[in-house]
Amino acid sequence: MKKWNILLAAALCGTILCFPSYAGTWVQEGTDWKYLDDNGAYAAGQWVLDGTDYYYMDGHGYMYTGWLNYKDAWYYMEDSGRMVTGDVQINGVPCHFDSSGALVSEGVETEVLDMGFSFAPYVTSPMCEAGYWNALFDASDDLLLTPDQISQLNQRIAETPAANVTDLAALPETFDGPALTAAMAAFTSPSGLYLNGQPVPEEYYEAIRANIRDAAVWADMPLQYGFAVNHTLMKAHPYGDALSDSPDDPEWDDLASSSVYVNEPLAVYFFTADGKYAYVRSAVCPGWVPAEDVAVCQSKAEWLDAQNMSQVLVVTGEKVRLEGSLAYPESSQKMLSMGTVLELVSKPDTLVNDRMSWYNYVVKLPQRAEDGTFVQRLALIPANRDVSVGYLPFTSGNILDQAFKSLGNRYGWGGMLDSQDCSSYVRDVYRCFGLNIPRNTTWQSAMPVQITSLASMDTAAKEAFLRTLTPGAILQFPGHEMLYLGEAGGRFYTLNDVSSLLSPLDPDGTRAKLRIRSVILNDLSTLRANGDTWLEQLTSAIEVWK
């Protein structure tokens, strides 16, 4: 049994609450119950005492069941609606409630509530672990898709044009270089962007255009193929600064497009005139990356052969770094993000970079030679790193286990700052199972999988649907997506990488927009900047396993 934390401060323990008592009648509506008092009114948003048992009627007048948060304390209402007291087991977890019904502790062993960090509203310390949510879902260990089914799904996604997942090997092997550079140099200067707090001058964009326009290209130019040798950032144009949409936000690059992972295959079109940037296409996005982060293969055959990995090592930690080295700087402290895939080689008792391979995985690491060409060299990843030999089994429990590893990580628009935005966070989690889903929310919404429209549903219908939804599914509203966790205490919770939301700390009408910029756990009563709850704004649910 895992340790669970005390949910309530000691000051709440033993609190006696005064609940109203009514002489009334229970009235059934479908599968729900209401309580009609002797004045002919339905009790709503309040407690009722029936004999010696307490019940809670929600704001619509329906009998409440499950976990209830009331005046900063947690209560549990049985399926019959009766409030529990004393020692009971809930979903297999021992819980102790005081005589007033308030939860005192949960689990075999308890710890002090103060975890040293704060939570979003309606979140408790046990909720901050995947095990809490997996214990609520009986099928958390059931396989959602087999490896063969995942491979078939990846193929179907790649065959869906609107999903924008490209089979790089099927791209035309030549292109019109002058036509491509001319088209790319003709971009319209973005408006409202700032560089170092000042409006971006037009000459800045002109320099970018010239760097593209003057590139060494020709007609019938052969497409080249390569790999990313560093975790890098793809942008809409070739430049190295951060161009923000606000003068006081230096950590936002409006033209960032996508993270690129170490060992990610790339189609390489051409380099800028100064040789500093390469125009490439990954399977999920086209754009510009620093040339120093790309190694070009000598042939397509070499590129294809390097992707033919007999055994893979998958990075399942949110970030894994290789050990430092003075003699081998090309691999020293190299950062590998979640979902990175490397070829695992079997070389027992081997000397790699002047170190014996004992207690280390031996992998092939892509590197860039002095002339920019692709080479592979062996590297060591310590056995203690968070990695998996082969892809993880695709289960709901494993999805949540992976998702919680990023809790508190910073948000990075387009993948800047070696971070994730909402859709790349979801994509990185799914990559650990061998799934190659599209880059952004719009493209993900085009996948040939089960996508349920929630836009026309009212709140009650959405709640009813969520109660049937498998944890780990993707929830979306315009401009944002999240991973569904489940229901607790009548609230529905998600994990997501979010930029901003409306402050829950301020009174109605005075709420400020908070710059969150983190992976957070929150419930769907969270408010968007327009004042609507996330639950109200939900438009779709995506279940890739259906």
Side-chain angles (χ1 to χ4, degrees):
M1 179 67 68
K2 287 189 175 182
K3 290 184 179 180
W4 296 95
N5 302 319
I6 289 180
L7 290 177
L8 302 173
L12 292 174
C13 298
T15 300
I16 303 299
L17 300 178
C18 295
F19 301 138
S21 176
Y22 298 94
T25 305
W26 289 101
V27 178
Q28 187 172 15
E29 287 190 1
T31 58
D32 297 315
W33 289 89
K34 288 189 169 185
Y35 193 81
L36 187 67
D37 65 29
D38 56 3
N39 295 320
Y42 286 107
Q46 60 197 38
W47 295 88
V48 298
L49 176 62
D50 185 9
T52 60
D53 295 326
Y54 289 104
Y55 300 79
Y56 187 79
M57 315 307 294
D58 68 17
H60 299 287
Y62 295 108
M63 184 183 73
Y64 197 93
T65 60
W67 285 103
L68 169 69
N69 184 269
Y70 180 80
K71 292 186 177 180
D72 297 323
W74 286 92
Y75 301 82
Y76 189 78
M77 322 302 289
E78 294 178 336
D79 290 344
S80 67
R82 186 183 72 89
M83 182 192 75
V84 302
T85 59
D87 295 315
V88 296
Q89 284 213 6
I90 299 173
N91 296 313
V93 178
C95 300
H96 175 68
F97 299 84
D98 66 19
S99 59
S100 73
L103 178 63
V104 177
S105 63
E106 185 177 4
V108 175
E109 299 180 53
T110 60
E111 299 172 356
V112 178
L113 169 66
D114 184 6
M115 296 179 71
F117 58 85
S118 57
F119 313 133
Y122 311 112
V123 174
T124 63
S125 49
M127 293 181 180
C128 296
E129 296 183 9
Y132 175 93
W133 302 99
N134 289 336
L136 300 180
F137 184 58
D138 292 338
S140 64
D141 292 331
D142 291 355
L143 198 63
L144 298 172
L145 291 174
T146 66
D148 283 345
Q149 290 172 325
I150 289 173
S151 179
Q152 294 166 15
L153 174 57
N154 287 339
Q155 183 63 36
R156 292 199 303 274
I157 292 173
E159 292 171 352
T160 304
N164 279 283
V165 174
T166 302
D167 179 0
L168 300 181
L171 289 170
E173 296 194 4
T174 62
F175 63 96
D176 188 336
L180 181 58
T181 56
M184 299 190 69
F187 69 85
T188 301
S189 299
S191 61
L193 297 186
Y194 297 84
L195 174 63
N196 299 324
Q198 299 298 318
V200 181
E202 181 59 25
E203 53 264 30
Y204 187 92
Y205 297 121
E206 278 300 323
I208 294 175
R209 293 187 185 98
N211 204 16
I212 299 172
R213 193 169 47 241
D214 297 340
V217 294
W218 57 92
D220 294 323
M221 190 169 179
L223 184 65
Q224 294 182 289
Y225 306 89
F227 292 90
V229 298
N230 296 310
H231 182 95
T232 190
L233 178 63
M234 183 183 288
K235 296 187 180 185
H237 304 304
Y239 66 96
D241 301 301
L243 304 184
S244 177
D245 60 0
S246 172
D248 63 351
D249 191 359
E251 296 192 330
W252 184 278
D253 190 336
D254 216 52
L255 302 179
S257 300
S258 181
S259 293
V260 181
Y261 311 84
V262 173
N263 206 40
E264 185 166 359
L266 301 170
V268 183
Y269 286 84
F270 66 96
F271 295 82
T272 51
D274 62 6
K276 292 183 178 180
Y277 299 95
Y279 181 65
V280 304
R281 176 179 284 277
S282 73
V284 296
C285 199
W288 294 90
V289 297
E292 63 185 9
D293 295 330
V294 179
V296 179
C297 294
Q298 297 186 30
S299 67
K300 185 176 182 179
E302 180 188 35
W303 179 73
L304 290 171
D305 184 63
Q307 296 178 62
N308 186 23
M309 298 179 281
S310 58
Q311 190 172 31
V312 298
L313 190 73
V314 183
V315 175
T316 48
E318 54 91 21
K319 289 184 180 72
V320 166
R321 288 193 180 274
L322 304 189
E323 295 291 272
S325 173
L326 297 176
Y328 300 91
E330 63 275 5
S331 61
S332 178
Q333 294 289 326
K334 186 175 289 292
M335 194 272 282
L336 308 174
S337 61
M338 181 182 288
T340 298
V341 180
L342 299 172
E343 183 173 2
L344 179 65
V345 297
S346 178
K347 286 187 175 291
D349 303 338
T350 299
L351 200 65
V352 177
N353 295 349
D354 293 330
R355 294 176 56 211
M356 184 57 75
S357 62
W358 292 347
Y359 310 109
N360 280 263
Y361 300 100
V362 181
V363 297
K364 289 183 180 179
L365 195 67
Q367 295 183 3
R368 176 183 168 93
E370 289 186 7
D371 61 357
T373 58
F374 167 76
V375 294
Q376 282 183 317
R377 296 191 175 98
L378 298 182
L380 299 177
I381 298 181
N384 63 54
R385 298 299 196 263
D386 190 347
V387 295
S388 170
V389 177
Y391 292 106
L392 295 173
F394 190 42
T395 67
S396 170
N398 282 341
I399 295 173
L400 300 198
D401 284 343
Q402 289 303 114
F404 268 93
K405 291 177 182 180
S406 296
L407 184 63
N409 276 8
R410 72 160 300 131
Y411 175 98
W413 170 252
M416 64 180 299
L417 300 173
D418 290 338
S419 298
Q420 305 154 314
D421 56 22
C422 64
S423 54
S424 60
Y425 167 59
V426 172
R427 185 169 185 270
D428 284 359
V429 168
Y430 277 26
R431 277 171 62 92
C432 297
F433 309 103
L435 278 159
N436 189 32
I437 68 172
R439 165 65 186 92
N440 63 36
T441 57
T442 301
W443 299 343
Q444 288 176 19
S445 296
M447 290 189 292
V449 298
Q450 178 66 53
I451 301 178
T452 303
S453 176
L454 310 178
S456 62
M457 293 185 185
D458 60 19
T459 298
K462 288 179 179 178
E463 290 179 344
F465 171 79
L466 290 174
R467 291 189 178 100
T468 70
L469 189 61
T470 298
I474 304 169
L475 294 176
Q476 293 184 340
F477 54 71
H480 189 57
E481 72 178 22
M482 60 218 84
L483 289 170
Y484 180 61
L485 293 178
E487 181 184 10
R491 294 180 177 273
F492 301 91
Y493 290 82
T494 65
L495 267 176
N496 59 110
D497 203 347
V498 63
S499 177
S500 63
L501 48 82
L502 209 60
S503 172
L505 309 174
D506 304 326
D508 288 343
T510 64
R511 289 193 169 113
K513 184 178 179 181
L514 295 182
R515 184 177 288 175
I516 302 296
R517 300 259 171 105
S518 293
V519 176
I520 66 169
L521 161 63
N522 61 297
D523 83 303
L524 292 177
S525 70
T526 300
L527 296 175
R528 294 194 74 187
N530 64 7
D532 290 340
T533 68
W534 286 20
L535 181 62
E536 291 169 332
Q537 292 280 286
L538 285 181
T539 53
S540 62
I542 302 176
E543 299 169 90
V544 301
W545 45 87
K546 292 184 178 180

